[in-house]
Structures are given as structure tokens and as C-alpha cells.
């Protein structure tokens, strides 16, 4: 366990020296605060931030994460030469990346909502947005780690990260929209819900929707949505799915890390 | 001072000669309310002390009578009959608890019914678990105020309306609280009524439902968590102002449903968190002004058969969809509203945006055709599609446009 802390500490020190993470925190702080500043009410700021969270968080986590893991390569190799359990080394490596990312978002986006607590954003909405952001950071940090361990070619790794982002954030929804239109005459709600759960960006979005837009979701004619989103069930399902999206890539990356030959 | 006191005492002492107080219950002259009602003369007061009274349906046949409960006496219908009927003019009923009419499919049992009378006053009563709560039947100029009604019917078919008006013109329904009835407040063929300050919630159907009731005003009421919201149909000259419509959720639930209404004013209301805020069908010459639409699924659905309606000075924020319609053409005017999604500029600084705002989003049309696509709401992809459509409108109705969008929320 000491090793986890040690590597985590090293990672944190490394990252805090890194101006990127500071700029990242400040930019969220600036944007969220700015949205309030320019006359936004709580719900509006939440919705504006949602778009940012869905696009920017995965991008930063993927690109920054892959680069970070590549950059830690020599440090990792050095430690591997020591009598150190690989499992703990990996945990430290991942946490050293994921925690600052999630923390930076939490601080940057969270503080303005605490400051402007009276501006009408519901607690459920804020918690859902912050939770979705943290979940996305953790999930995409895990995916980034996996990509970086998957290939030694840095260019290829970053390219893969960018491609993953494009698919997860934009292309996937386009395909879903196409499918919904093409199979509109069939009962598509259930498969569609399943498709939503198969993409972490959509999971995060649905999680926030269940808090912010339940009035619209309940307007849908199908009873399935009513049962799913009318209660805490929808929020629960989305939250569990997001956690799953952190665990699975992390497991894959961990397995790769334990087995590969450095 | 002393002189005034003596006069007052003398007046008080003289009172019984004009109108008697008939006391019912523990220590009173009468054991049953029926006996007291039988003995009462016009202008008398029947005072009912605390206790539970299980008597056949009580009928007030004496004009100018006051039936007053002291310490909330319970008038129990025992699940088999109507509780209290007012069948004389100028009667006042206050301070009683009317309960347990039971369910009937053959008769409309009410907690308190006014039957073909004028000028009754029903105030400060509690009605619990009745099929119908307060029922005004062909009764003119009655006042129903400060009553508290609650029903626990499980199905629409097994429950009646809270405050029900049928052919009862000139009524004033004020500051009542209604929960769990089929329709909280119902007006049919009852014109020139005033409904103010009521709270109607958790109705199995509509919080407020009115049909064929011209020239009515609905002010400062709150309608919340009603299964289908509020429905206003087939009436003229209706004023709906400063009400709150909240949390009507469902595919057929509307904050406010307007069907075949002509010449009404809908001003300064708040529509919050409804699946559909306001739904306009076949209605004409409505002025929808100064309302706030916030966090609704669809803030306004305006069908193409609605004519000459004007939306102005309203505030739209945080709605999934601001406006939808079912046609490329539109006879409804949107002018000078504030839209949180408006991204235009104001170079001449007159508070009005220099570019027009098209409130119908492309995604709204997509969802109209493929409802399940709703799951993609707020997706970045959808934002991109909407933005593209705004720049080059191809599919969305070009006629439906606000040419003078406000830069700041009104008020």
C-alpha cells in the first residue's frame, strides 16, 4: 500500500508542477463563474456546463492521460527494477492521473455553484453534473491508461485517443440518431436505452438528464421511460453504468500492465 | 366608553330575540343536527359542538341559516350517503368536517352540496374522503373559501371532483386547498366566476378543469403535481393571471391546456417543470404576456389551427424545447419575448436583439417524428445539428419567428 501512496505522491507532484492541470482547473472556474457572471441562472449554467463536460472532459482525460502515461514510462521502468508489487505500482500510476483530473474539475466547476448556491440550481442537478464529470474523468483516464499501455508508439497512442474521443462524443450519437430514425416503426426504446449505456459520454448525459430534464423525458409516450425516469431508478442505473465504465477499462489496463514486458 | 359598553351589551342581549342560537351536542339543547335543523327558523344559528355525528343526509331548508361547527365536529356519511345538502337561499356553513360519502356509481354523493340556491357561503370546512367535495348545482352567486379538501381515491372512475360547479354562475372560489380528487376544481356552464388563491394538487386528472364557462377569472392559484395539469375548454373571455402551474408530468399532461378558447388573457403566470407548459389547440385571439416558462419539456406547443394568438414579453429559460408546432406555417405571433437560447447581438443597444430568433429547434421536429430520439436530448451532436439549422433553416417553420427578441429577461 505504501507504494501506491508513493507513486501517487510522485504523480501528484509531477502533475502539480505541470501548468496544464492548473490551467484546466482555472478554465473551468473561469467558465462556470463567467456563466453566472453574465446573468445566467443556476439551471442555465448547469446546461451550458453540461455541453462542456460532455465534450471537453473526455478529450482532456484521453489526450492528457495518454501523454502522461507515456511520460511516466521511465519512472515506471525505474520502479519496476525495484522490489515493488506491480499491482500497487499500477494503482499509483492510475490514481496519480485520475485524481488530479477529477479533482481539478470538481474544484473548478464546483466552487461557482457553492458561491452562487442561491441562484436556483437544484442540488440534484449540481450533484448529477459534478458526479457525471468526475465519473467521465475517471472512466476516460482509465481508457487513456489502457491505450497508452496498449501501444508503445506514442503517435499511434495519441491518435487512438483522439479517435476514441471523436467516436464517444459525437459519432456514436449520430449513429444512434440514424438507428432511431431507421427503426422508428419498431419498439426501439429498450435497445436505445441499452445503446445509451454502452457509451460513457451518453451515460453521463443521461445521468444529468434524469435530474434536469425529467419533465421532457416524461413527455414521451412510451411507458418504459416513465418507469425508468419517473423514479430514482433512472439515476441509479446511469450511476451504476458510469461506475462500470470506470471499472472495466481499468481492469483491462491493469491486466495489460501486470502481464506486459517492459 | 361606559355608555358604549352598555349599548353593546344591550345589543348582544337583544340578539337572540332576532335570531336564536341552537346548540347541538354535549350540553346543548339538541342531540342531533337533524333535530336542530328541523327546529330552526330563518336567520338562526345552529352551533354544532365537537363530536362525531352519524345521521341521515342533513338538508338545510331554512333560509338565512348558519350552520357552524365549534371544535371541528365530524359529520360522517359512513360510506353510504351524501353528508350535507343546502336547499335554501343565503345559507352559511362553516367549521365542520364532512367525511366518508363512500363511492357510488349511481349517484354523485357530495360532502357539501348546494342545490338550486342563491348566495350561499361555504367557508373554513374540512372535507375528507368524499366522492365529491363541494358541489354547487344550479346555485348562483355562492362563495366557497378557505376550505380544505382531501380525497384518497385510487382511480379516476372511483372518485369525483373536489369543488364542482355546474350551472352555477357568479361563484367565488377562493383560498381553498384541494388534494387527491379527480378534478381539483371543476367549472361547467358556470360563467362570471372568480377563482383566486387556491392550491390544487395531486389530482387524478386535472387540477382545474373548465368547460363552457365564459368570462371567468383565475388568479393567483397554484396547480401542482396534477396528473394531467389544467384544462380550459370551449369558453370565451377567460382571464388567467399570476397562477403557478408546476410538475404536470406525462405524455398527455399539460401545465395549461387550451382548447377552443377565444379572446382570453394569459398573463404573468409561471409554468415550471411541466412536460408541456402550455398547449394551444383551436384557440384564437389569446394574449399570452409576461409569463415565465422554466424547465419544462416543451414550453409551448401551439398547433396550426390556433389563430391570431400573440406571445409577447414572456420569458423562456431552461426548457428542453421552447416552441413546437405541427405545421410549416403558423398563425401565432411571437414578438418581444426573452429566450435563454438566443445568441444574437444588440448593436444599437435598444434592448432588442438585432437578429431574429427561431424558437423551433430542428431536434424538436426530429423528436416529433421519432419520439425515442428524445434520449439524445442535450447531446453535443444535437447542439451541432440545431446550430446548423439555425444558420440555414431548411426544415423548421420559417414563419414561426420572434423578430424582436429581448436581450434581458423582462421585469
Amino acid at each position: 500500500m505504501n507504494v501506491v501512496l508513493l507513486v501517487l505522491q510522485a504523480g501528484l507532484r509531477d502533475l502539480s508542477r505541470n501548468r496544464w492541470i492548473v490551467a484546466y482547473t482555472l478554465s473551468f472556474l473561469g467558465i462556470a463563474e463567467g456563466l453566472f457572471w453574465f446573468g445566467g441562472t443556476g439551471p442555465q449554467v448547469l446546461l451550458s456546463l453540461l455541453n462542456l463536460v460532455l465534450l471537453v472532459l473526455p478529450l482532456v482525460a484521453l489526450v492528457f492521460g495518454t501523454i502522461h502515461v507515456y511520460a511516466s514510462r521511465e519512472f515506471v521502468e525505474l520502479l519496476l527494477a525495484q522490489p515493488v508489487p506491480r499491482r500497487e505500482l499500477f494503482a499509483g500510476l492510475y490514481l496519480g492521473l485520475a485524481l488530479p483530473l477529477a479533482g481539478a474539475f470538481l474544484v473548478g466547476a464546483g466552487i461557482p455553484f457553492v458561491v452562487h448556491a442561491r441562484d436556483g440550481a437544484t442540488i440534484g442537478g449540481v450533484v448529477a453534473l459534478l458526479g457525471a464529470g468526475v465519473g467521465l474523468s475517471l472512466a476516460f483516464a482509465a481508457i487513456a491508461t489502457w491505450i497508452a499501455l496498449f501501444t508503445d508508439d506514442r503517435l499511434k497512442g495519441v491518435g487512438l485517443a483522439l479517435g476514441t474521443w471523436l467516436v464517444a462524443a459525437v459519432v456514436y450519437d449520430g449513429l444512434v440518431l440514424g438507428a432511431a430514425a431507421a427503426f422508428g416503426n419498431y419498439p426501439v426504446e429498450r435497445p436505445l436505452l441499452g445503446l445509451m449505456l454502452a457509451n460513457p459520454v451518453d451515460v453521463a448525459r443521461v445521468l444529468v438528464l434524469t435530474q434536469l430534464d425529467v419533465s421532457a423525458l416524461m413527455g414521451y409516450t412510451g411507458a418504459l421511460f416513465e418507469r425508468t425516469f419517473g423514479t430514482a431508478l433512472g439515476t441509479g442505473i446511469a450511476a451504476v453504468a458510469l461506475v462500470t465504465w470506470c471499472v472495466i477499462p481499468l481492469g483491462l489496463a491493469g491486466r495489460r500492465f501486470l502481464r506486459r514486458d517492459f | 366608553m361606559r355608555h358604549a359598553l352598555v349599548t353593546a351589551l344591550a345589543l348582544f342581549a337583544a340578539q337572540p330575540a332576532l335570531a336564536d342560537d341552537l346548540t347541538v351536542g354535549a350540553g346543548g339543547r339538541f342531540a342531533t343536527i337533524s333535530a336542530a335543523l328541523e327546529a330552526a327558523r330563518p336567520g338562526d344559528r345552529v352551533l354544532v359542538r365537537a363530536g362525531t355525528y352519524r345521521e341521515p343526509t342533513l338538508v338545510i331548508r331554512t333560509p338565512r341559516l348558519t350552520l357552524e361547527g365549534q371544535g371541528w365536529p365530524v359529520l360522517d356519511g359512513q360510506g353510504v350517503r351524501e353528508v350535507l345538502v343546502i336547499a335554501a337561499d343565503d345559507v352559511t356553513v362553516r367549521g365542520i368536517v364532512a367525511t366518508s360519502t363512500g363511492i357510488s356509481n349511481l349517484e354523485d354523493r357530495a360532502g357539501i352540496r348546494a342545490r338550486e340556491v342563491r348566495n350561499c357561503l361555504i367557508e373554513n370546512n374540512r372535507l375528507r374522503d368524499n366522492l365529491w367535495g363541494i358541489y354547487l348545482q344550479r346555485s348562483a352567486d355562492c362563495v366557497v373559501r378557505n376550505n380544505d379538501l382531501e380525497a384518497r381515491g385510487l382511480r379516476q372512475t372511483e372518485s369525483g371532483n373536489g369543488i364542482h360547479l355546474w350551472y352555477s354562475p357568479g361563484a367565488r372560489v377562493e383560498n381553498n386547498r384541494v388534494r387527491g380528487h379527480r378534478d381539483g376544481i371543476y367549472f361547467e356552464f358556470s360563467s362570471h366566476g372568480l377563482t383566486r388563491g387556491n392550491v390544487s394538487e395531486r389530482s387524478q386528472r386535472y387540477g382545474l378543469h373548465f368547460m363552457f364557462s365564459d368570462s371567468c377569472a383565475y388568479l393567483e392559484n397554484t396547480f401542482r403535481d396534477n396528473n394531467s395539469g389544467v384544462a380550459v375548454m370551449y369558453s370565451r373571455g377567460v382571464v388567467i393571471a399570476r397562477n403557478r402551474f408546476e410538475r404536470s408530468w406525462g405524455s398527455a399532461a399539460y401545465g395549461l391546456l387550451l382548447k377552443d378558447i377565444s379572446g382570453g388573457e394569459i398573463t404573468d403566470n409561471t409554468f415550471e417543470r411541466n412536460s408541456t407548459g402550455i398547449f394551444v389547440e383551436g384557440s384564437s385571439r389569446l394574449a399570452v404576456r409576461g409569463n415565465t416558462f422554466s424547465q419544462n419539456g416543451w414550453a409551448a406547443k401551439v398547433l396550426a389551427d390556433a389563430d391570431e394568438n400573440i406571445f409577447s414579453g414572456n420569458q423562456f429559460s431552461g426548457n428542453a424545447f421552447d416552441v413546437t408546432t405541427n405545421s410549416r406555417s403558423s398563425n401565432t405571433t411571437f414578438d418581444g419575448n426573452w429566450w435563454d437560447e438566443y445568441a444574437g447581438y444588440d448593436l444599437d443597444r435598444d434592448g432588442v436583439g438585432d437578429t431574429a430568433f427561431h424558437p423551433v429547434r430542428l431536434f424538436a421536429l426530429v423528436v416529433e417524428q421519432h419520439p425515442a430520439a428524445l434520449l439524445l436530448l442535450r447531446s453535443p451532436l444535437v447542439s451541432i445539428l440545431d446550430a446548423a439549422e439555425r444558420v440555414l433553416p431548411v426544415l423548421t417553420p420559417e414563419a414561426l419567428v420572434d423578430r424582436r427578441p429581448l436581450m434581458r429577461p423582462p421585469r
Side-chain angles (χ1 to χ4, degrees), chain B residues 313-329:
Chain B
N314 300 291
Q315 187 176 331
F316 293 83
S317 72
N319 303 297
F321 304 98
D322 286 329
V323 177
T324 56
T325 182
N326 59 346
S327 157
R328 283 273 283 160
S329 68

Side-chain angles (χ1 to χ4, degrees), chain B residues 89 133 151 177 231:
Chain B
D89 294 348
R177 300 181 66 93

Side-chain angles (χ1 to χ4, degrees), chain A residues 47 173 205 213 215 218 220, chain B residues 275 295 371 375 377-379:
Chain A
L47 288 174
D173 283 355
R205 188 171 52 77
D213 281 300
S215 11
M218 297 294 280
Y220 178 66
Chain B
S275 282
Q295 290 178 279
L375 265 185
L377 187 63
R378 312 266 183 223
S379 155

Side-chain angles (χ1 to χ4, degrees), chain B residues 114-174:
Chain B
R115 195 168 65 204
E116 295 172 28
V117 299
R118 299 184 63 82
N119 214 17
C120 62
L121 168 61
I122 300 171
E123 62 177 1
N124 300 329
N125 300 291
R126 293 179 186 165
L127 291 101
R128 298 283 180 267
D129 297 318
N130 298 304
L131 183 59
W132 302 70
I134 297 171
Y135 194 138
L136 304 186
Q137 173 191 347
R138 290 187 182 277
S139 296
D141 305 321
C142 285
V143 177
V144 178
R145 67 184 176 208
N146 301 329
N147 298 289
D148 187 278
L149 295 86
E150 182 160 355
R152 278 178 298 198
L154 296 174
R155 292 201 316 228
Q156 274 190 28
T157 47
E158 288 176 358
S159 66
N161 302 330
I163 298 174
H164 184 89
L165 279 75
W166 194 67
Y167 281 108
S168 295
R172 276 169 47 201
V173 178
E174 294 178 306

